[in-house]
Amino acid sequence: PEINHQNLIIPVHNYNIKCMSMGLLVDEQAPVVWRGLMVMQAIRKLLRGVRWGPLDVLVIDMPPGTGDTQLSVTQEVPIQGVVLVTTPQSVALADCIKGAEMFRKVDVPILGVVENMSYYHCSSCNKQHHIFGRDVGHRMKGSALSDVPILGKLPIKPDISQHCDSGTPTVILDSEISEMFDQIAHSIIPSLNLEHD
């Protein structure tokens, strides 16, 4: 990425969205094996060392877990809310529940859960197949997620992977997926006190 005269990183800008990632700052094949202070420094660089300019919303995509990354972000910036993403598998949902517990302990509101890879819609038989399991909402009961809404259930679609690899957002190419993401976004926005169309 380019650096401006203020020594700030200029974010990638495409489809009216600004983006910055550790993946753009390190060698493509180099692993990022950082802990503690190194993680905090990297997060500070991404938050304060980038020329973001005016933003409607800043979305921070974090890895799963309850480690240094998540805690560092909650200490660095005021967070209006978190959206947790899980797949239907029990081990993924268990991680999601731990994440909910952690964010509650640091007073970050949980806006909802998105169930990714929820089902596969077979075009041959025209049925939904729950490859990784089902009933995430039922399994959330009695946990830290029991009062958290499911914002959406996203299907497994091979096209999504192809779109990502080509650098074109799925929401531009797939009206069904676009509508799902739109519904998720519109359900979150009122919690952030933002105006939307």
Side-chain angles (χ1 to χ4, degrees):
E2 295 179 26
I3 308 287
N4 72 3
H5 67 283
Q6 297 170 305
N7 204 31
L8 294 174
I9 300 168
I10 299 172
V12 176
H13 194 179
N14 212 351
Y15 297 99
N16 204 28
I17 292 177
K18 297 173 186 176
C19 174
M20 184 45 57
S21 167
M22 283 306 304
L24 298 171
L25 302 177
V26 297
D27 185 86
E28 190 176 326
Q29 296 185 5
V32 179
V33 188
W34 293 349
R35 299 288 295 174
L37 285 174
M38 293 175 76
V39 171
M40 190 167 274
Q41 288 170 351
I43 288 168
R44 281 187 186 140
K45 185 73 174 170
L46 291 173
L47 291 171
R48 307 190 193 288
V50 175
R51 193 201 67 187
W52 289 113
L55 297 172
D56 295 321
V57 175
L58 178 64
V59 176
I60 302 172
D61 182 17
M62 291 187 280
T66 55
D68 293 335
T69 303
Q70 291 79 3
L71 287 172
S72 296
V73 169
T74 62
Q75 291 165 359
E76 281 295 312
V77 288
I79 299 174
Q80 285 188 279
V82 63
V83 173
L84 298 168
V85 180
T86 187
T87 60
Q89 295 141 300
S90 295
V91 69
L93 184 57
D95 275 349
C96 192
I97 291 168
K98 288 176 189 173
E101 290 277 12
M102 186 210 74
F103 284 114
R104 283 222 164 97
K105 284 181 180 175
V106 293
D107 297 321
V108 174
I110 300 167
L111 305 180
V113 172
V114 173
E115 186 181 326
N116 197 17
M117 298 194 290
S118 180
Y119 59 89
Y120 173 73
H121 186 270
C122 177
S123 56
S124 299
C125 69
N126 202 31
K127 290 183 179 176
Q128 288 184 4
H129 300 277
H130 298 270
I131 297 168
F132 297 115
R134 60 193 315 166
D135 298 326
V136 166
H138 178 72
R139 288 184 283 144
M140 284 167 41
K141 290 179 181 171
S143 75
L145 295 172
S146 58
D147 60 341
V148 175
I150 294 180
L151 302 171
K153 298 184 177 191
L154 302 174
I156 299 168
K157 289 191 82 170
D159 290 352
I160 294 175
S161 177
Q162 294 164 10
H163 298 159
C164 290
D165 288 344
S166 72
T168 306
T170 297
V171 293
I172 289 174
L173 301 173
D174 186 320
S175 59
E176 178 194 4
I177 294 293
S178 177
E179 190 173 315
M180 290 177 178
F181 275 106
D182 201 45
Q183 287 174 356
I184 291 168
H186 278 79
S187 64
I188 293 168
I189 286 171
S191 303
L192 304 178
N193 300 316
L194 299 172
E195 294 181 8
H196 62 284
D197 297 328

